[in-house]
């Protein structure tokens, strides 16, 4: 399954930033908190973010910034019980202004819209689910976030715990599927 090339930098390890725009973020976060986009390996703010994360005992992740996200945004593909429910397009969150404060979901919902998942996006999202230990059937709900890579969609993250499903932005049919899925779990 295609993913963004990622270097994990645990506390105490030196960081080497890639050429070009890059993203630095913690391995565990929510709403893009403590995540930044930086210009090149000489941006002191990137090293400062890594140092701050390390001081908190957190591991940093360093990734190249994929510019296709500026044009196409991020696609969140939602599965209920391992079955595709709906997909949404989200506007890019990161600018080259450095570290982003935590996102207030209500502030970004107006830029989210339901979209048809492309065959390539579905294939990549399904491959991500197939890689889940124990199988996709063990997940009541999951969101696979995809961004455009150089050769097609790549997995940005798979959210299986406490993920936002963007139901307020989804169609009535998607909300009905969710309600039926929850009712079937009772």
């Amino acid at each position: 399954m295609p993913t963004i090339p990622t270097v994990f930098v645990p506390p105490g390890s030196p960081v080497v930033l890639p050429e070009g725009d890059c993203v630095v973020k913690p391995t565990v976060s929510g709403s893009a908190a403590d995540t930044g986009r930086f210009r090149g390996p000489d941006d002191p703010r990137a090293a400062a973010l890594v140092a701050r994360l390390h001081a908190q005992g957190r591991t940093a992740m360093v990734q190249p910034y994929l510019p296709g996200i500026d044009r196409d945004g991020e696609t969140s593909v939602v599965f209920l019980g391992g079955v595709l429910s709906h997909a949404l397009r989200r506007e890019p969150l990161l600018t080259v202004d450095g570290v982003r404060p935590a996102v207030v979901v209500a502030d970004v919902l107006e830029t989210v819209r339901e979209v048809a998942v492309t065959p390539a996006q579905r294939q990549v999202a399904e491959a991500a689910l197939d890689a889940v230990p124990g199988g996709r059937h063990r997940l009541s709900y999951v969101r696979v976030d995809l961004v455009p890579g150089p050769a097609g969609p790549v997995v940005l993250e798979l959210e299986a715990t406490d993920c936002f499903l963007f139901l307020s932005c989804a169609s009535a049919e998607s909300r009905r599927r969710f309600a039926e899925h929850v009712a079937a779990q009772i």
Side-chain angles (χ1 to χ4, degrees), residues 114-133:
E114 192 163 14
V115 295
V117 65
T118 68
Q121 289 171 328
R122 184 173 185 152
Q123 181 181 11
V124 171
E126 297 270 358
L129 282 188
D130 291 339
V132 170

Side-chain angles (χ1 to χ4, degrees), residues 8-130:
F8 293 87
V9 186
S13 298
V15 62
V16 177
L17 300 172
E19 292 296 324
D21 285 10
C22 70
V23 174
V24 175
K25 58 188 176 182
T27 54
V28 177
S29 179
S31 301
D34 298 323
T35 298
R37 176 180 170 192
F38 306 98
R39 294 245 186 234
D42 298 327
D43 190 327
R45 298 172 303 163
L49 176 55
V50 172
R52 186 170 53 126
L53 294 173
H54 285 178
Q56 297 168 355
R58 300 163 80 188
T59 296
M61 296 176 5
V62 178
Q63 302 170 322
Y65 187 80
L66 300 180
I69 194 171
D70 292 331
R71 181 189 67 243
D72 297 330
E74 181 177 327
T75 301
S76 294
V77 185
V78 176
F79 292 85
L80 303 173
V83 177
L84 176 67
S85 172
H86 58 281
L88 302 116
R89 182 190 187 278
R90 298 190 288 156
E91 295 296 320
L93 291 175
L94 301 179
T95 64
V96 290
D97 296 322
V99 181
R100 179 170 177 78
V103 175
V104 177
V105 174
D107 292 344
V108 298
L109 287 180
E110 65 189 37
T111 68
V112 177
R113 70 179 190 284
E114 192 163 14
V115 295
V117 65
T118 68
Q121 289 171 328
R122 184 173 185 152
Q123 181 181 11
V124 171
E126 297 270 358
L129 282 188
D130 291 339

